[in-house]
Amino acid sequence: MAAVAPGARTRRPGVKRVRAATTVAFLACTLSIGPGCAARAPALMPEDDSPATPALALGPAVPDPEVEGVLRAAGALIAADGRPLPLTAWLPAGSPTTPDEAPGETPGVPVDEREAGNADSAADTPAPEQAGPSAAIVALHGFNDYSAAFAAAARDWAADGVAVYAYDQRGFGANPNPGRWPGVDALVADARAAMAALAARHPDTPRYALGESMGGAILLAALGEAPAAAAGSDGAVARREAAGSPAIDGAVLVAPAVWARETMPAVQRAALWLADRLVPGLVLSGEGLGIEPTDNPETLRALWEDPLVIKRNRVDALAGVVDAMDRGLAAADDVATPLLVLYGDQEEVIPDPAVDALEARLDPGRHTVGRYPEGYHMLLRDLNGPTVRADIRAWLDDPDAPLPSGADAAWHGAPSSSEASPMASGEAPSAAEAEGVGTAR
């Protein structure tokens, strides 16, 4: 299958190569054995075995002060095991807040306040017809991050008619036990529940899933792996028929984390294996590695100041996210749902061999890959973020059309657009800007 030639990438001179530094970090896990290390964290389990119907349960929506014409609502994704996962929604103005909200009701205004006025006057006023969104997205954040990662992008898209829902994945954000790894199976099941809930809320609207970094790996597993009921099927064709999701029309993977063990040097695999067994509760940070996840200093500052962004990780959580990356990369061959996969050439979190391994598994007749010469890991929040967000919005309207920026030109065999694309430029901030910030993957 076709893939973007590694030589087409345009890394900025002087950008650090992080393999050696990350190897040292993994090896440090094995050298930091000491008292006080906790036992392996158990997977988060449902409080009971009663099944629940996945749903996007929203509270009142209020105007978003950042963008006129956008409504913001908080609520929960009700997972298949009944666990509520914190949810934020950015909705186009006029969108119903709840599925049963009658036309003419004002989203976000409680019923008692709506009825507090003149009842006779309200009865004589024709109910305006509400237009639904032009598309709907459910978004999965990266490792250490939470739903606020999509705030800027969601506001852009909601202002352009797209409803965006983002939930805090288990073990992250406002969930109980942040930092304790919940298990890949639970995260994949939640992603499938989220896609099903999106379909129930917007049955007649084009629907998409979006995964950033670790969220991209979880989406690949959710879309490419056969559900448990069909896990015994034989052959690639059977797996493709069982996998995927009829609940969505496509998926966007923003810097998907696919740094699977098969793409790691043996010393990294061995160090992680040993640390996970000897010191699973050892807490580490990314300080001193010099990894720059974005060129946007405001993004770095917001991550550091946000108490819901995890800054340090247990070893077993690091092993868990690698399990997720294993699953995501392995499932990529069997994803039938059209994908838009986006990476930046200044990527410092996911190494080139992992990116190449994913691209080699993607069918160019079904999927699209975009490359941004000035892009880092946090493409949606980089200085060039508006260009990336505009490309995604255009792809939602027409997945077969070229991206407006030309970022997909090399994937489709055209000359590289690195010079022609309207990419934001400027020197990246010093690594000191990122000092102490836990990289959200």
Side-chain angles (χ1 to χ4, degrees):
M1 295 182 182
V4 178
R9 299 172 195 171
T10 54
R11 284 191 178 274
R12 189 192 309 279
V15 167
K16 304 176 186 67
R17 311 300 290 182
V18 302
R19 292 174 183 77
T22 311
T23 300
V24 171
F26 276 147
L27 289 174
C29 297
T30 67
L31 300 177
S32 301
I33 300 172
C37 292
R40 173 183 291 273
L44 297 176
M45 300 299 293
E47 297 177 358
D48 57 61
D49 295 329
S50 57
T53 300
L56 301 174
L58 289 178
V62 297
D64 190 318
E66 297 290 334
V67 180
E68 184 177 354
V70 174
L71 301 173
R72 188 168 182 175
L77 164 67
I78 308 303
D81 61 9
R83 184 182 296 276
L85 304 176
L87 176 79
T88 303
W90 293 265
L91 307 172
S95 297
T97 308
T98 59
D100 56 354
E101 190 171 77
E105 292 185 344
T106 305
V109 180
V111 174
D112 56 350
E113 293 183 20
R114 287 197 294 261
E115 294 176 348
N118 188 315
D120 293 335
S121 174
D124 294 337
T125 303
E129 201 172 311
Q130 288 183 334
S134 58
I137 296 173
V138 62
L140 284 68
H141 61 77
F143 190 64
N144 290 339
D145 219 334
Y146 70 110
S147 56
F150 301 105
R155 287 173 179 138
D156 283 0
W157 297 329
D160 199 25
V162 178
V164 182
Y165 304 87
Y167 65 95
D168 295 0
Q169 299 194 71
R170 297 178 194 236
F172 301 95
N175 279 297
N177 304 313
R180 303 300 288 267
W181 183 250
V184 183
D185 287 342
L187 297 177
V188 169
D190 291 342
R192 288 178 174 148
M195 290 185 283
L198 187 72
R201 176 174 283 272
H202 297 285
D204 302 317
T205 301
R207 299 177 299 275
Y208 299 89
L210 185 149
E212 181 180 60
S213 197
M214 181 194 77
I218 297 300
L219 272 183
L220 281 170
L223 295 171
E225 293 179 350
S233 300
D234 294 326
V237 173
R239 291 199 306 275
R240 287 190 179 93
E241 290 176 349
S245 173
I248 62 169
D249 299 290
V252 181
L253 308 182
V254 181
V258 289
W259 191 8
R261 287 175 175 85
E262 69 178 74
T263 68
M264 291 180 180
V267 65
Q268 286 182 338
R269 296 196 303 271
L272 181 60
W273 180 88
L274 189 61
D276 188 34
R277 280 149 183 81
L278 295 180
V279 286
L282 181 66
V283 177
L284 304 170
S285 77
E287 295 183 32
L289 290 182
I291 295 174
E292 297 182 6
T294 178
D295 62 346
N296 190 337
E298 292 303 319
T299 296
L300 293 172
R301 186 174 297 109
L303 288 169
W304 177 244
E305 295 176 351
D306 193 330
L308 292 183
V309 174
I310 297 172
K311 312 299 191 299
R312 297 173 180 272
N313 299 109
R314 291 167 54 103
V315 166
D316 53 8
L318 296 173
V321 75
V322 174
D323 291 341
M325 294 191 287
D326 284 345
R327 294 265 295 269
L329 184 60
D333 285 304
D334 295 320
V335 176
T337 304
L339 300 176
L340 173 63
V341 181
L342 305 177
Y343 279 108
D345 284 349
Q346 311 309 318
E347 171 71 62
E348 295 191 26
V349 176
I350 309 301
D352 290 345
V355 176
D356 294 340
L358 174 61
E359 291 179 355
R361 287 166 163 82
L362 299 177
D363 180 357
R366 175 179 290 132
H367 308 305
T368 297
V369 173
R371 290 280 197 160
Y372 297 91
E374 300 297 324
Y376 285 71
H377 187 65
M378 297 181 177
L379 287 169
L380 296 176
R381 291 172 279 181
D382 285 351
L383 294 177
N384 193 46
T387 296
V388 179
R389 302 196 292 263
D391 278 353
I392 293 172
R393 181 64 187 90
W395 187 83
L396 300 182
D397 283 340
D398 188 356
D400 296 323
L403 298 178
S405 73
D408 58 332
W411 176 254
H412 292 301
S416 173
S417 60
S418 60
E419 296 182 0
S421 298
M423 301 296 173
S425 61
E427 290 300 316
S430 166
E433 292 280 353
E435 185 76 12
V437 176
T439 301
R441 293 190 288 275

